[in-house]
Amino acid sequence: MTETTLRTHVTIRDAGPDDAEAICRIYNQGIEDRVATLETELRTPAERREWMAAHGPRHPVLIAQTEPLTVANRPPAAQAGLAVPATIAWASLNRFNPRPVYDHVADVSVYIERAWRGRGVGRALLAALIERARTLGYHKTVLAAFPDNGAGMALYTRLGFTRVGVYREQGRLDGRWVDVVVMERLL
């Protein structure tokens, strides 16, 4: 597994099957909050495990975890109970389109745990995902976002995504039509 520790006291690494429950929990928050996806059905850890297995090396899933807590003046036995990192975000490169002509374009997903939104985790995770896309030989990353998701739109813009269009009334969410902004970043 690839592992990178960032100055935000968060570790970013490749997700594995054991991360499915945390990924599911965070994705379900995004579904419930209605700020990042037109999806309305909550997922299960088993479904997320299958989703991850279908991704493969060309479409990685990354997670961000808090660094393990330690207390220097406690005995080692007491510290052992504190050394459990918490998964606070995930991001993935997804297949944009099954046609081979699109093999160098990746769709991006980023989901942050509610309590960690607005604290720089998304920026660190998305930057790592962009770097991974570049390493994997992608030419471009794309995403779709809700125009009223101010934090998400600001994040994407800060990391070099540009707006290329709007799908008007792309989906119906909770009885109302929702627009979706399409953004891209050439690598």
Side-chain angles (χ1 to χ4, degrees), residues 14-26:
D14 287 88
D18 291 343
D19 298 308
E21 189 170 326
I23 289 169
C24 179
R25 175 181 47 80
I26 294 165

PDB file of all heavy atoms in Angstrom, residues 14-26:
ATOM      1  N   ASP A  14      -3.863   3.986   0.408  1.00  0.00           N
ATOM      2  CA  ASP A  14      -4.786   3.186  -0.386  1.00  0.00           C
ATOM      3  C   ASP A  14      -5.759   2.473   0.543  1.00  0.00           C
ATOM      4  O   ASP A  14      -5.367   1.969   1.604  1.00  0.00           O
ATOM      5  CB  ASP A  14      -4.025   2.151  -1.208  1.00  0.00           C
ATOM      6  CG  ASP A  14      -3.289   2.790  -2.358  1.00  0.00           C
ATOM      7  OD1 ASP A  14      -2.141   3.197  -2.144  1.00  0.00           O
ATOM      8  OD2 ASP A  14      -3.856   2.890  -3.444  1.00  0.00           O
ATOM      9  N   ALA A  15      -7.006   2.414   0.137  1.00  0.00           N
ATOM     10  CA  ALA A  15      -8.020   1.704   0.916  1.00  0.00           C
ATOM     11  C   ALA A  15      -7.930   0.212   0.641  1.00  0.00           C
ATOM     12  O   ALA A  15      -7.531  -0.211  -0.443  1.00  0.00           O
ATOM     13  CB  ALA A  15      -9.416   2.206   0.548  1.00  0.00           C
ATOM     14  N   GLY A  16      -8.298  -0.556   1.629  1.00  0.00           N
ATOM     15  CA  GLY A  16      -8.374  -2.003   1.490  1.00  0.00           C
ATOM     16  C   GLY A  16      -9.747  -2.491   1.901  1.00  0.00           C
ATOM     17  O   GLY A  16     -10.587  -1.698   2.361  1.00  0.00           O
ATOM     18  N   PRO A  17     -10.019  -3.782   1.763  1.00  0.00           N
ATOM     19  CA  PRO A  17     -11.348  -4.317   2.106  1.00  0.00           C
ATOM     20  C   PRO A  17     -11.792  -3.993   3.531  1.00  0.00           C
ATOM     21  O   PRO A  17     -12.971  -3.792   3.776  1.00  0.00           O
ATOM     22  CB  PRO A  17     -11.180  -5.832   1.913  1.00  0.00           C
ATOM     23  CG  PRO A  17     -10.032  -5.971   0.963  1.00  0.00           C
ATOM     24  CD  PRO A  17      -9.128  -4.818   1.236  1.00  0.00           C
ATOM     25  N   ASP A  18     -10.837  -3.897   4.462  1.00  0.00           N
ATOM     26  CA  ASP A  18     -11.191  -3.584   5.845  1.00  0.00           C
ATOM     27  C   ASP A  18     -11.689  -2.151   6.022  1.00  0.00           C
ATOM     28  O   ASP A  18     -12.234  -1.812   7.074  1.00  0.00           O
ATOM     29  CB  ASP A  18     -10.000  -3.815   6.776  1.00  0.00           C
ATOM     30  CG  ASP A  18      -9.652  -5.287   6.912  1.00  0.00           C
ATOM     31  OD1 ASP A  18     -10.497  -6.143   6.562  1.00  0.00           O
ATOM     32  OD2 ASP A  18      -8.531  -5.581   7.366  1.00  0.00           O
ATOM     33  N   ASP A  19     -11.513  -1.309   5.010  1.00  0.00           N
ATOM     34  CA  ASP A  19     -11.953   0.082   5.084  1.00  0.00           C
ATOM     35  C   ASP A  19     -13.384   0.282   4.579  1.00  0.00           C
ATOM     36  O   ASP A  19     -13.909   1.393   4.629  1.00  0.00           O
ATOM     37  CB  ASP A  19     -10.996   0.971   4.271  1.00  0.00           C
ATOM     38  CG  ASP A  19      -9.596   0.946   4.822  1.00  0.00           C
ATOM     39  OD1 ASP A  19      -9.426   1.190   6.038  1.00  0.00           O
ATOM     40  OD2 ASP A  19      -8.661   0.669   4.042  1.00  0.00           O
ATOM     41  N   ALA A  20     -14.005  -0.773   4.111  1.00  0.00           N
ATOM     42  CA  ALA A  20     -15.339  -0.659   3.506  1.00  0.00           C
ATOM     43  C   ALA A  20     -16.371  -0.087   4.463  1.00  0.00           C
ATOM     44  O   ALA A  20     -17.226   0.710   4.058  1.00  0.00           O
ATOM     45  CB  ALA A  20     -15.804  -2.014   2.979  1.00  0.00           C
ATOM     46  N   GLU A  21     -16.317  -0.465   5.725  1.00  0.00           N
ATOM     47  CA  GLU A  21     -17.314   0.039   6.681  1.00  0.00           C
ATOM     48  C   GLU A  21     -17.190   1.549   6.868  1.00  0.00           C
ATOM     49  O   GLU A  21     -18.186   2.272   6.852  1.00  0.00           O
ATOM     50  CB  GLU A  21     -17.166  -0.680   8.014  1.00  0.00           C
ATOM     51  CG  GLU A  21     -18.307  -0.363   8.966  1.00  0.00           C
ATOM     52  CD  GLU A  21     -18.311  -1.247  10.198  1.00  0.00           C
ATOM     53  OE1 GLU A  21     -17.933  -2.428  10.093  1.00  0.00           O
ATOM     54  OE2 GLU A  21     -18.703  -0.743  11.258  1.00  0.00           O
ATOM     55  N   ALA A  22     -15.975   2.051   7.022  1.00  0.00           N
ATOM     56  CA  ALA A  22     -15.771   3.490   7.191  1.00  0.00           C
ATOM     57  C   ALA A  22     -16.149   4.242   5.916  1.00  0.00           C
ATOM     58  O   ALA A  22     -16.779   5.307   5.973  1.00  0.00           O
ATOM     59  CB  ALA A  22     -14.324   3.772   7.579  1.00  0.00           C
ATOM     60  N   ILE A  23     -15.775   3.710   4.757  1.00  0.00           N
ATOM     61  CA  ILE A  23     -16.132   4.341   3.489  1.00  0.00           C
ATOM     62  C   ILE A  23     -17.648   4.394   3.350  1.00  0.00           C
ATOM     63  O   ILE A  23     -18.213   5.413   2.940  1.00  0.00           O
ATOM     64  CB  ILE A  23     -15.469   3.598   2.313  1.00  0.00           C
ATOM     65  CG1 ILE A  23     -13.962   3.872   2.324  1.00  0.00           C
ATOM     66  CG2 ILE A  23     -16.091   3.985   0.972  1.00  0.00           C
ATOM     67  CD1 ILE A  23     -13.160   3.001   1.383  1.00  0.00           C
ATOM     68  N   CYS A  24     -18.312   3.322   3.720  1.00  0.00           N
ATOM     69  CA  CYS A  24     -19.774   3.264   3.673  1.00  0.00           C
ATOM     70  C   CYS A  24     -20.391   4.327   4.587  1.00  0.00           C
ATOM     71  O   CYS A  24     -21.299   5.049   4.186  1.00  0.00           O
ATOM     72  CB  CYS A  24     -20.239   1.865   4.074  1.00  0.00           C
ATOM     73  SG  CYS A  24     -22.022   1.676   4.074  1.00  0.00           S
ATOM     74  N   ARG A  25     -19.886   4.429   5.807  1.00  0.00           N
ATOM     75  CA  ARG A  25     -20.416   5.399   6.776  1.00  0.00           C
ATOM     76  C   ARG A  25     -20.297   6.822   6.233  1.00  0.00           C
ATOM     77  O   ARG A  25     -21.249   7.604   6.265  1.00  0.00           O
ATOM     78  CB  ARG A  25     -19.659   5.262   8.095  1.00  0.00           C
ATOM     79  CG  ARG A  25     -20.043   6.294   9.147  1.00  0.00           C
ATOM     80  CD  ARG A  25     -19.233   6.128  10.437  1.00  0.00           C
ATOM     81  NE  ARG A  25     -17.799   5.973  10.246  1.00  0.00           N
ATOM     82  CZ  ARG A  25     -16.956   6.980  10.009  1.00  0.00           C
ATOM     83  NH1 ARG A  25     -17.396   8.216   9.928  1.00  0.00           N
ATOM     84  NH2 ARG A  25     -15.662   6.746   9.844  1.00  0.00           N
ATOM     85  N   ILE A  26     -19.133   7.161   5.683  1.00  0.00           N
ATOM     86  CA  ILE A  26     -18.907   8.510   5.166  1.00  0.00           C
ATOM     87  C   ILE A  26     -19.740   8.770   3.920  1.00  0.00           C
ATOM     88  O   ILE A  26     -20.322   9.842   3.762  1.00  0.00           O
ATOM     89  CB  ILE A  26     -17.399   8.720   4.905  1.00  0.00           C
ATOM     90  CG1 ILE A  26     -16.637   8.680   6.234  1.00  0.00           C
ATOM     91  CG2 ILE A  26     -17.142  10.024   4.158  1.00  0.00           C
ATOM     92  CD1 ILE A  26     -15.139   8.509   6.087  1.00  0.00           C
TER      93      ILE A  26
END
